[in-house]
Amino acid sequence: MMTASLVDFTHWLGGTWLAATVAGHFWIVPALQVVHILSVAVVLSGVLLINLRVVGIVERSQPIAAVLDRFLLPTGIAILVLAITGALLIAGEPTRAVFRTIFWVKMALILAAGLLTWSHRSALSATDFGVPRVRVTRKAIALVALLLWLGVIVAGRWIAYVEAWPGAPA
């Protein structure tokens, strides 16, 4: 069910100079989409290497701490870029994604996948970092995180193909 505040927000956002700028220049949306897609590639690469290392499939000779140190920061930066480009894309067409359930599923998946991926840093004690064998539950968390990240990608693409909520503003 749509809330009046969400409708009000999208109407307000659609009337801003930012929305006019994004929607008013034919090259901005494709440029934002390119940056968004490249950032998805960086995030997916980073989370694949992190989580597959935790599982023990890749970089087994590297301590998990080294893999986390190498990939968490670029992954985090890419997620920030995704948030910025995503917000700009929404500003250009506020009702396109906001009134689709799959958009909110994508946001929830990002939150869950990010928390699980970053949880490796705090969950693995200093002694676990150099040990090639990781607890089975931590490996399961890594696999779930990977599945959630793949869900983020599917949900992101799916947004373009689903109908908006009944009664959503056009």
Side-chain angles (χ1 to χ4, degrees):
M1 176 178 222
M2 281 182 292
T3 63
S5 59
L6 190 55
V7 172
D8 292 342
F9 171 74
T10 57
H11 284 303
W12 168 81
L13 183 58
T16 64
W17 66 269
L18 184 59
T21 300
V22 172
H25 295 84
F26 75 93
W27 59 271
I28 292 179
V29 170
L32 288 170
Q33 288 174 337
V34 167
V35 173
H36 201 77
I37 290 167
L38 291 173
S39 296
V40 167
V42 171
V43 169
L44 188 58
S45 299
V47 299
L48 271 170
L49 290 168
I50 289 167
N51 288 296
L52 289 178
R53 170 57 190 99
V54 171
V55 172
I57 295 175
V58 300
E59 300 217 34
R60 295 177 75 174
S61 64
Q62 294 292 311
I64 293 172
V67 175
L68 291 169
D69 289 344
R70 194 170 344 137
F71 295 111
L72 276 180
L73 180 61
T75 300
I77 292 169
I79 289 172
L80 179 62
V81 171
L82 284 169
I84 292 168
T85 56
L88 290 170
L89 287 165
I90 288 171
E93 199 174 356
T95 60
R96 181 172 182 261
V98 175
F99 295 106
R100 286 165 171 73
T101 302
I102 195 68
F103 170 78
W104 297 104
V105 169
K106 177 185 173 183
M107 296 299 108
L109 289 170
I110 290 169
L111 181 63
L115 288 173
L116 289 179
T117 299
W118 265 262
S119 76
H120 298 314
R121 171 65 74 197
S122 61
L124 298 169
S125 70
T127 58
D128 290 331
F129 277 66
V131 177
R133 291 177 47 95
V134 177
R135 290 188 180 105
V136 173
T137 52
R138 181 57 32 195
K139 290 180 179 185
I141 288 169
L143 291 173
V144 169
L146 283 174
L147 290 173
L148 291 174
W149 283 114
L150 292 174
V152 169
I153 293 168
V154 170
R157 290 306 311 136
W158 198 356
I159 290 169
Y161 302 103
V162 297
E163 296 293 321
W165 299 334

